[in-house]
Amino acid sequence: DAKTTQPNSMESNEEEPVHLPCNHSTISGTDYIHWYRQLPSQGPEYVIHGLTSNVNNRMASLAIAEDRKSSTLILHRATLRDAAVYYCIPSEDTGKLIFGQGTTLQVKP
Amino acid sequence: GAVVSQHPSRVICKSGTSVKIECRSLDFQATTMFWYRQFPKKSLMLMATSNEGSKATYEQGVEKDKFLINHASLTLSTLTVTSAHPEDSSFYICSARIREAFFGQGTRLTVV
C-alpha cells in the first residue's frame, strides 16, 4: 500500500479557495488517487478520484502532478459544510482502502 | 448515488454480551464489503474484508473469533462483536465499492 503524507490541519476562510496537498511518492502505476472526506460522527464520503489527468466534479477539482507522486484537492469556494477530515488514498479501482491520518480542514466564517 | 445503510447507529451493551451490526447495500450488489473501526480523533482502521459466500479476510492483529463477519447475500454483511469488553467501544463503519466506495453512517458501540 502506498504511503501518503498530508498536513495534519489547515484553515480556510469561508468563500475562499482551499488547496489540500498530498504526497504519495510510492504510488504504483495502476493506483488511482482517491479523495474522501469525513464529517464528525459520520462515515466517509467520496469526493473525487483520478489516475493521471486533472479531474473536476461538482464538489472539487483534483490536480495530479505529472510524475503522480503528489496531488492537490481543490475546493473552489469553501463553505462551513466543507469542514471535515480529508483523506487522500492511492488505490486500485476496486479493493480495500487504507486510510492515513488525513487533513483536518477548519473553515472560518 | 449508491447507498450503504448500517444498523444500528448506536448501541450500548453490557460486558460479556454480543452485538450484531448490519451493513446493507441498498441499490447495488456487493460481493465484497469492508469493515473499519475508528477511535476518537483517529483515522479509520481496516478490520476485515467481507466476501459473499466465503470466509472473511482479516487484517493483521484483528481477532477473527472476536469479530465474526458473515456475508450471506449480495446486499448484506454483518459484524458480530462477541463477548464485548469496554475496550471494544468504538465507531464501526462498513463500506462497499463499485468504483468509488460508499460508506455506512457508522455504528457507535459502547460497552458498559
Side-chain angles (χ1 to χ4, degrees), chain A residues 32 34 36 38 41-46 49 87 91-102, chain B residues 34 36 38 41-46 49 59 91 93 97-106 108:
Chain A
Y32 284 75
H34 295 256
Y36 288 80
Q38 185 180 25
S41 298
Q42 296 185 26
E45 66 172 338
Y46 168 81
H49 77 285
Y87 297 97
S91 172
E92 293 185 348
D93 214 17
T94 58
K96 59 188 180 183
L97 294 174
I98 303 299
F99 285 75
Q101 291 309 302
Chain B
F34 305 93
Y36 297 84
Q38 184 175 34
K41 307 288 187 186
K42 300 293 186 182
S43 184
L44 284 76
M45 184 192 80
L46 180 67
T49 301
E59 296 296 306
F91 192 51
I93 307 168
R97 284 185 78 172
I98 300 175
R99 169 168 280 181
E100 62 263 37
F102 299 93
F103 291 83
Q105 64 269 49
R108 176 81 55 197

Side-chain angles (χ1 to χ4, degrees), chain A residues 8-30:
Chain A
N8 287 332
S9 63
M10 292 185 67
E11 282 186 359
S12 171
N13 293 318
E14 200 175 9
E15 302 294 316
E16 290 186 354
V18 182
H19 291 230
L20 298 165
C22 180
N23 286 322
H24 32 77
S25 58
T26 60
I27 191 171
S28 77
T30 56

Side-chain angles (χ1 to χ4, degrees), chain B residues 22-112:
Chain B
E22 294 187 346
C23 179
R24 294 181 185 274
S25 55
L26 295 185
D27 50 2
F28 66 101
Q29 294 182 332
T31 56
T32 303
M33 292 186 177
F34 305 93
W35 287 95
Y36 297 84
R37 69 187 296 183
Q38 184 175 34
F39 292 108
K41 307 288 187 186
K42 300 293 186 182
S43 184
L44 284 76
M45 184 192 80
L46 180 67
M47 299 175 67
T49 301
S50 171
N51 303 299
E52 189 269 334
S54 65
K55 291 182 180 181
T57 305
Y58 290 82
E59 296 296 306
Q60 191 172 9
V62 177
E63 299 176 61
K64 61 181 181 181
D65 294 331
K66 181 165 188 61
F67 299 101
L68 300 180
I69 291 172
N70 184 273
H71 195 149
S73 77
L74 288 171
T75 58
L76 175 63
S77 175
T78 60
L79 168 68
T80 301
V81 182
T82 63
S83 187
H85 290 281
E87 56 263 35
D88 297 325
S89 300
S90 190
F91 192 51
Y92 293 86
I93 307 168
C94 69
S95 81
R97 284 185 78 172
I98 300 175
R99 169 168 280 181
E100 62 263 37
F102 299 93
F103 291 83
Q105 64 269 49
T107 296
R108 176 81 55 197
L109 170 64
T110 303
V111 184
V112 298

Side-chain angles (χ1 to χ4, degrees), chain B residues 4-26:
Chain B
V4 171
S5 177
Q6 200 172 328
H7 178 80
S9 57
R10 250 175 219 282
V11 59
I12 300 173
C13 72
K14 292 184 178 179
S15 289
T17 62
S18 296
V19 173
K20 181 185 285 188
I21 302 169
E22 294 187 346
C23 179
R24 294 181 185 274
S25 55
L26 295 185

Side-chain angles (χ1 to χ4, degrees), chain A residues 2-7 20-35 50-54 62-73 88-90:
Chain A
K3 181 176 171 54
T4 60
T5 304
Q6 296 180 254
L20 298 165
C22 180
N23 286 322
H24 32 77
S25 58
T26 60
I27 191 171
S28 77
T30 56
D31 280 349
Y32 284 75
I33 299 155
H34 295 256
W35 283 80
L51 185 62
T52 55
S53 303
N54 294 344
L62 177 60
I64 302 171
E66 197 169 333
D67 63 6
R68 294 195 353 110
K69 292 184 178 182
S70 65
S71 62
T72 302
L73 178 71
C88 150
I89 308 172

